[in-house]
Amino acid sequence: MPSLIGNRIFSSAPATSNNHPCARPFCRIISTKRFSRSPTTSIAPRARMPSESLSQFPVQSKSTLPVVAPLEEILFDIDGTLCDSDPIHYYAFREMLQEVGFNGGQPLTEDFFIKNISGMHNDELCHILFPDWDFDRAMKFMEDKEEMFRRLASEQLKPVNGLDKLCKWIEDRGLKRAAVTNAPRPNAELMISMVGLASFFELLVIGSECERAKPFPDPYLNALDALRIAPERAFAFEDSVSGTRAGVSAGMPVVGVATRNPRKLLIEAGATFVINDFQDPKLWGALEGLDRN
């Protein structure tokens, strides 16, 4: 199995210990089947979210979070937020797209991946990458790509720096927590398990099990509703433009995590502020401010 460490497609992230303080034996992850779409309902096409929703939470010069006290819930994206998975996704897409002659057989560029693939749902990607293919053929490609991702991720996936410290902060305060993702359920459960958080989350929401996936707000709205939390008493962590738009449109502040995506894109999508990782002093200054409230 090829290692992505040292691969120039992305700079490598420092390794983090697997001895996560929140790690416990794998427990149940609550399904949102009561919010599921019917098998015949397709994900809505990619669309721009209303511009007014993106200015709902102005960018803060001092990295504060406009949350109504008391804070009750924190929501996380998974891919690129809990773990630095984008290099693995990029590698799998680059290899497999080249095999089928995408873009005349030219290798996928990092810029194209960031702007057109990262954070998007597979149904949407079928139309973006293969507009001339039969949908079933395109979905088979996506399923094969996800299988390749899981093989690589099972050997190489690492948590984002500072995740253990943040999870302890959340647990110490008894806050509710949910993982909200566009990833397929097998990917989501694998990634959560590999970063030691199998029993940390009270809820796992999968975009394809909602009426609409991100960038629409439905997955976040479903998570808030399931845990009976008002959006003004919660905030989310997101690393992609699609996810940031979804969180802001659900009525929450969003902290952008710049593991791979450019800060400028996350701010333009509506992020309240952007951090490098969960050790970033800006994040801890904002959390201390919430404690004071």
Side-chain angles (χ1 to χ4, degrees):
M1 191 71 64
S3 172
L4 303 188
I5 303 302
N7 192 320
R8 291 187 300 165
I9 58 177
F10 284 104
S11 59
S12 58
T16 306
S17 170
N18 288 329
N19 296 322
H20 198 289
C22 299
R24 294 186 289 272
F26 198 93
C27 73
R28 68 191 181 102
I29 298 178
I30 304 171
S31 170
T32 56
K33 289 296 185 182
R34 62 197 181 94
F35 301 110
S36 297
R37 59 191 176 98
S38 68
T40 58
T41 303
S42 61
I43 295 295
R46 185 178 185 181
R48 294 183 180 274
M49 305 310 295
S51 59
E52 60 268 20
S53 71
L54 303 184
S55 59
Q56 192 174 161
F57 301 105
V59 176
Q60 304 293 313
S61 60
K62 294 186 179 180
S63 302
T64 56
L65 281 163
V67 175
V68 175
L71 174 67
E72 295 182 346
E73 183 180 4
I74 298 181
L75 303 95
F76 291 83
D77 175 51
I78 299 177
D79 263 315
T81 301
L82 293 179
C83 49
D84 191 11
S85 54
D86 269 5
I88 305 176
H89 282 293
Y90 175 73
Y91 179 86
F93 270 115
R94 190 185 69 176
E95 295 299 299
M96 292 187 60
L97 287 172
Q98 196 165 10
E99 286 179 7
V100 298
F102 180 80
N103 192 32
Q106 294 299 308
L108 184 72
T109 66
E110 181 181 339
D111 184 63
F112 183 91
F113 175 83
I114 289 172
K115 291 180 179 178
N116 297 281
I117 296 178
S118 180
M120 302 305 294
H121 187 265
N122 281 349
D123 282 21
E124 295 174 295
L125 288 175
C126 287
H127 299 293
I128 293 169
L129 298 176
F130 309 114
D132 300 325
W133 281 24
D134 176 84
F135 183 74
D136 289 342
R137 179 188 176 194
M139 279 303 297
K140 179 62 169 61
F141 175 94
M142 299 306 301
E143 290 165 4
D144 291 344
K145 175 263 161 185
E146 299 301 355
E147 183 178 346
M148 182 178 184
F149 168 80
R150 288 191 292 272
R151 289 199 310 269
L152 293 168
S154 65
E155 299 177 355
Q156 302 182 31
L157 198 67
K158 301 293 182 183
V160 168
N161 288 339
L163 180 62
D164 54 350
K165 179 182 177 183
L166 177 60
C167 289
K168 185 176 186 304
W169 186 91
I170 293 169
E171 286 197 318
D172 287 348
R173 286 153 183 79
L175 301 177
K176 294 185 177 181
R177 50 265 191 185
V180 181
T181 181
N182 270 357
R185 182 170 286 275
N187 290 23
E189 292 181 350
L190 172 67
M191 288 184 281
I192 287 173
S193 179
M194 288 200 65
V195 298
L197 298 182
S199 59
F200 174 76
F201 290 108
E202 299 170 65
L203 183 71
L204 171 61
V205 178
I206 304 295
S208 62
E209 295 173 7
C210 302
E211 186 65 26
R212 301 175 299 180
K214 303 174 189 177
F216 292 92
D218 303 39
Y220 278 114
L221 292 174
N222 287 355
L224 292 165
D225 181 67
L227 295 179
R228 302 182 184 278
I229 300 296
E232 59 268 22
R233 297 189 186 277
F235 72 90
F237 287 103
E238 273 284 357
D239 77 302
S240 71
V241 169
S242 172
T244 300
R245 288 179 180 273
V248 172
S249 296
M252 295 183 296
V254 174
V255 176
V257 184
T259 46
R260 302 293 173 181
N261 287 310
R263 292 170 173 270
K264 181 175 182 290
L265 293 181
L266 298 176
I267 291 295
E268 289 174 351
T272 302
F273 60 90
V274 178
I275 58 176
N276 294 321
D277 54 32
F278 299 123
Q279 294 177 332
D280 197 310
K282 285 189 294 185
L283 171 62
W284 290 96
L287 295 181
E288 288 169 7
L290 292 177
D291 273 343
R292 286 193 295 271
N293 294 335

